[in-house]
Amino acid sequence: MNLPDTGRATDDLLAEIARLRAHDLPVRGGQVTAYVYDTGRAEVHEAAAHAYFEMLEVNTLDPTAFPSVVEMERQVVGAVADLLGGGHGIFTNGGTESIMLAVKAARDGSRVAGRPNMVVPVTAHPAFHKAAHYLGVEVRAVPVDLVTYRVEPEAVEAAIDGDTVLVVVSAPSYPQGVVDPVEKVAALARDRGVACHVDACVGGWLLPWLREAGADVPAFDLSVPGVTSISCDLHKFGYAPKGASVVLFADPATRRRAYFASGAWPGYTVINATVQSSKSAGPLAGAWATLQALGRDGYLELGRATLRAATRLREGVAAIPGLRVLGGQESSLVAFAGDDVDVFVLSDEARRRGWFIQPQLSYAGIPANLHVTVTGVTLRGVEAMLEVIAESAAAARSRGPAVLPDGLVELIAGLDLDALDDATFAELAASVGIDLTSRDQPEMAVVNAVLDALPARVREAILVRFLSVIYSGT
Ligand SMILES: Cc1ncc(COP(=O)(O)O)c(C=O)c1O
């Protein structure tokens, strides 16, 4: 039984949290190049934490009970709208929720006769597949150009039919950090009466500052004719604590279609702007405080540092033998592939040296590669990062590619996963040297190489099983 018989003191609890976090990657310092966004300014994160704590127990469920929520949300959404071409917004708990609402609004606003579908580049975030799955919309995946990694407008055009309710573009797409041709795609969607969502979860609060700092950033926001909604995560380049994103709609009628109300029960009236119903106002307050603590100057300064760091990183990586930068330069997401270097081994080598560099599997003709999200704090450590990448690349070259046990991929691809319980699955993984229960920083090259060799559907089934195993503690 995990519940103690008697209550425990706060110090004791905090000590336990510290112990639990001993295996976590650090959230500050810039050595983790994905998942976390560090300004390098402790006082900003402290302001956010205090504000978050202050509003922690306020429930956003009923705006009439807690009008502070409405005022704060209007300010936060207003700041995002000011930066991204206007619109009418909702504060959500993350990119996925923003995307879910955009897809719902598009579906509910259309009058298609058949099963609704949406046209989505292969580089778009899986949140669109998730939204489609939850909302009964079909995904029409379209390829990207294999040199620029941007979606081709002609491919989007060819995929649209009478049941298309939404076309998606990314600004930028996460894998290679490139901005899709928003103007062209939005125009052709508009011509066909189809909604167009710009996924600017990463770029919404990044690209405008990079542009102001001198980067060549194409138009991508609600000011582009034909764009009907846009998502912008404040818990990414807004540097707010997690649980903070905004989705903007070009008109209030579309925003209303994202809402949900129910009078069909005998309890309190339910009117939700988001997927979640009861939720803490902490993330909203954290986002509000981060915006206020940094201000325009703060974000512009971070944008300048980010642009310099991204430029230096691209140059530095391109000069390392065997490595090749993928994609353009319009954002601060940097991806690189290896020619005679196994990037999965490189990632393990970097991790051994204290740096997390995120592996990305090959897909739709795009090779396996590594991803660095360059943030405000990266600049001060960019030379150290480049040294680690160079050393790790050399080590990976001399180690050679991850070696998969003979027949392993075929064995996994042929498994009847439904017939295996979690314990048997964990044993099977252990028998080929993959310990799913260890909390130590694992060697991931073999795991990544196996996943890389499998088709997407099998990857997904294996990943679901992995999650089930780690949560059942088998
Ligand atoms: C381009 C893009 N869109 C959407 C998302 C989903 O965001 P979240 O993890 O906040 O749900 C991400 C996350 O990395 C992303 O990179």
Side-chain angles (χ1 to χ4, degrees):
M1 175 63 165
N2 287 318
L3 187 68
D5 288 335
T6 53
R8 294 165 62 187
T10 311
D11 286 353
D12 186 25
L13 302 182
L14 294 179
E16 179 154 355
I17 291 176
R19 186 179 63 72
L20 288 172
R21 287 192 57 188
H23 294 272
D24 287 0
L25 294 171
V27 298
R28 301 257 172 269
Q31 290 189 214
V32 175
T33 66
Y35 311 129
V36 292
Y37 294 77
D38 183 7
T39 60
R41 288 175 53 183
E43 79 285 5
V44 171
H45 299 292
E46 270 158 30
H50 283 303
Y52 196 113
F53 189 66
E54 240 2 85
M55 297 285 279
L56 182 66
E57 300 203 37
V58 170
N59 190 348
T60 69
L61 178 65
D62 183 348
T64 63
F66 303 105
S68 60
V69 168
V70 180
E71 181 50 32
M72 251 185 198
E73 177 159 341
R74 285 167 68 104
Q75 289 190 29
V76 169
V77 168
V80 176
D82 285 349
L83 202 65
L84 297 181
H88 308 266
I90 302 173
F91 182 84
T92 75
N93 82 337
T96 300
E97 194 177 37
S98 288
I99 287 166
M100 193 79 74
L101 295 180
V103 175
K104 172 177 158 19
R107 185 198 64 179
D108 293 357
S110 77
R111 291 198 201 94
V112 300
R115 183 176 179 209
N117 70 65
M118 60 186 187
V119 177
V120 177
V122 291
T123 47
H125 193 274
F128 291 97
H129 296 262
K130 189 174 182 177
H133 181 72
Y134 282 25
L135 295 165
V137 175
E138 182 203 333
V139 173
R140 298 258 164 96
V142 285
V144 295
D145 178 282
L146 290 178
V147 175
T148 64
Y149 303 105
R150 298 190 187 108
V151 75
E152 291 170 356
E154 303 74 40
V156 173
E157 189 169 17
I160 295 176
D161 68 12
D163 291 328
T164 302
V165 298
L166 185 67
V167 164
V168 172
V169 277
S170 308
S173 50
Y174 184 87
Q176 280 74 46
V178 299
V179 177
D180 284 324
V182 176
E183 285 180 307
K184 284 193 178 148
V185 173
L188 68 87
R190 190 182 51 161
D191 290 348
R192 283 154 191 77
V194 174
C196 174
H197 180 80
V198 177
D199 178 7
C201 284
V202 167
W205 206 263
L206 168 72
L207 298 178
W209 308 111
L210 293 186
R211 183 189 283 138
E212 209 168 325
D216 190 10
V217 174
F220 71 92
D221 63 19
L222 274 177
S223 60
V224 174
V227 173
T228 52
S229 58
I230 185 166
S231 45
C232 166
D233 291 359
L234 294 173
H235 66 198
K236 293 190 172 77
F237 283 96
Y239 297 95
K242 289 288 180 259
S245 171
V246 168
V247 58
L248 294 171
F249 298 96
D251 61 77
T254 314
R255 179 173 66 175
R256 285 197 294 276
R257 290 192 193 98
Y259 291 165
F260 175 82
S262 179
W265 80 317
Y268 61 88
T269 48
V270 168
I271 165 66
N272 299 148
T274 58
V275 177
Q276 290 181 305
S277 205
S278 280
K279 65 174 192 280
S280 169
L284 173 63
W288 175 85
T290 311
L291 294 177
Q292 299 296 322
L294 276 162
R296 238 193 81 75
D297 287 358
Y299 283 110
L300 183 53
E301 203 40 56
L302 284 165
R304 287 198 184 106
T306 303
L307 185 59
R308 279 178 57 200
T311 306
R312 174 68 193 118
L313 184 66
R314 283 196 190 91
E315 275 168 17
V317 167
I320 297 172
L323 299 187
R324 167 166 61 90
V325 176
L326 310 178
Q329 316 206 341
E330 63 267 45
S331 82
S332 70
L333 308 188
V334 179
F336 54 94
D339 284 330
D340 59 348
V341 170
D342 181 328
V343 287
F344 299 142
V345 178
L346 193 167
S347 175
D348 281 348
E349 287 291 334
R351 187 126 178 208
R352 213 178 267 167
R353 290 164 174 80
W355 289 72
F356 175 80
I357 303 191
Q358 190 177 48
Q360 302 194 117
L361 305 182
S362 60
Y363 187 67
I366 301 174
N369 61 91
L370 299 181
H371 177 110
V372 175
T373 295
V374 173
T375 68
V377 83
T378 308
L379 186 60
R380 60 180 79 158
V382 70
E383 298 305 329
M385 189 192 297
L386 280 167
E387 265 170 47
V388 165
I389 294 173
E391 272 176 28
S392 303
R397 187 179 300 103
S398 65
R399 266 176 65 181
V403 180
L404 302 184
D406 265 357
L408 179 62
V409 170
E410 294 73 12
L411 175 87
I412 295 173
L415 274 182
D416 177 7
L417 280 176
D418 290 336
L420 292 183
D421 62 17
D422 286 352
T424 315
F425 180 82
E427 274 166 29
L428 194 73
S431 72
V432 292
I434 299 168
D435 181 359
L436 297 177
T437 56
S438 165
R439 289 203 200 153
D440 292 328
Q441 297 199 347
E443 286 276 325
M444 291 298 291
V446 170
V447 177
N448 284 320
V450 171
L451 288 173
D452 200 60
L454 293 167
R457 290 284 160 223
V458 184
R459 284 179 188 171
E460 288 160 4
I462 296 285
L463 292 170
V464 165
R465 189 46 81 97
F466 166 73
L467 206 58
S468 175
V469 169
I470 60 172
Y471 277 106
S472 52
T474 308

